[in-house]
């Protein structure tokens, strides 16, 4: 069983209940489980049109949604960080000594072969085991 499991959560995909359940099973009831949401800051020219209050409001809303998703799960620690999704998940897992990442994924399409999905990047670059859950 794993001792420290990271569960990256996209707050709008609806797959987090399954990935959290998988993490609990892989942890055997004794693992430290961290639910991580990466808040992507507005990029490029979009950031010019947003004031700091709008960005802060978006970050606060992401925190609210994360906490709502984890309501009733006292054994799961919430973490909210800013950054590029795939790179931040990989760095967070590597820097904090996780021995497993449980991540949800969609079925890959043609664009995934050229750009790479978040899950595939995590699989390629994380220094720990990665369990990918695909929605049926």
């Amino acid at each position: 069983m794993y001792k420290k499991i990271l569960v990256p959560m996209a707050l709008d995909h609806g797959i987090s209940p399954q990935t959290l359940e998988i993490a609990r099973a892989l942890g055997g009831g004794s693992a430290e489980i961290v639910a991580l949401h990466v808040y992507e800051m507005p990029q490029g020219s979009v950031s010019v049109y947003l004031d700091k209050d709008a960005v802060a409001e978006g970050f606060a809303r992401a925190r609210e949604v994360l906490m709502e998703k984890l309501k009733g799960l006292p054994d799961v620690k919430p973490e909210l960080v800013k950054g590029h999704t795939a790179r931040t998940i990989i760095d967070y897992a590597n820097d904090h000594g996780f021995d497993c990442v449980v991540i949800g994924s969609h079925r890959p399409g043609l664009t995934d072969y050229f750009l790479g999905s978040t899950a595939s990047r995590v699989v390629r670059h994380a220094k720990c085991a990665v369990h990918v859950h695909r929605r049926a």
Side-chain angles (χ1 to χ4, degrees):
M1 294 296 164
Y2 297 102
K3 294 181 190 312
K4 196 169 180 182
I5 302 172
L6 181 65
V7 183
M9 295 178 60
L11 301 178
D12 57 347
H13 289 177
I15 198 168
S16 56
Q18 293 89 5
T19 54
L20 287 167
E21 184 178 325
I22 291 165
R24 291 169 120 181
L26 291 172
S30 63
E32 175 186 348
I33 299 173
V34 175
L36 175 72
H37 176 69
V38 179
Y39 181 80
E40 286 220 27
M41 298 298 290
Q43 299 297 314
S45 61
V46 173
S47 63
V48 173
Y49 297 102
L50 294 175
D51 64 8
K52 290 179 183 177
D53 292 339
V55 173
E57 185 177 311
F59 189 79
R61 178 69 184 131
R63 180 176 304 286
E64 289 173 17
V65 173
L66 178 62
M67 297 309 290
E68 182 64 31
K69 286 186 172 282
L70 298 177
K71 187 188 278 185
L73 300 173
D75 59 330
V76 179
K77 177 184 174 194
E79 285 291 336
L80 179 64
V81 296
K82 296 176 184 174
H84 175 272
T85 304
R87 184 77 255 158
T88 302
I89 292 167
I90 294 162
D91 290 345
Y92 194 91
N94 293 343
D95 294 347
H96 292 86
F98 285 89
D99 54 358
C100 183
V101 175
V102 178
I103 189 166
S105 178
H106 56 81
R107 296 221 180 266
L110 184 59
T111 57
D112 294 309
Y113 294 106
F114 296 113
L115 302 174
S117 70
T118 298
S120 67
R121 289 177 192 221
V122 172
V123 167
R124 286 194 307 269
H125 299 288
K127 294 178 183 175
C128 63
V130 179
H131 181 99
V132 178
H133 173 68
R134 287 210 179 150
R135 193 183 307 206

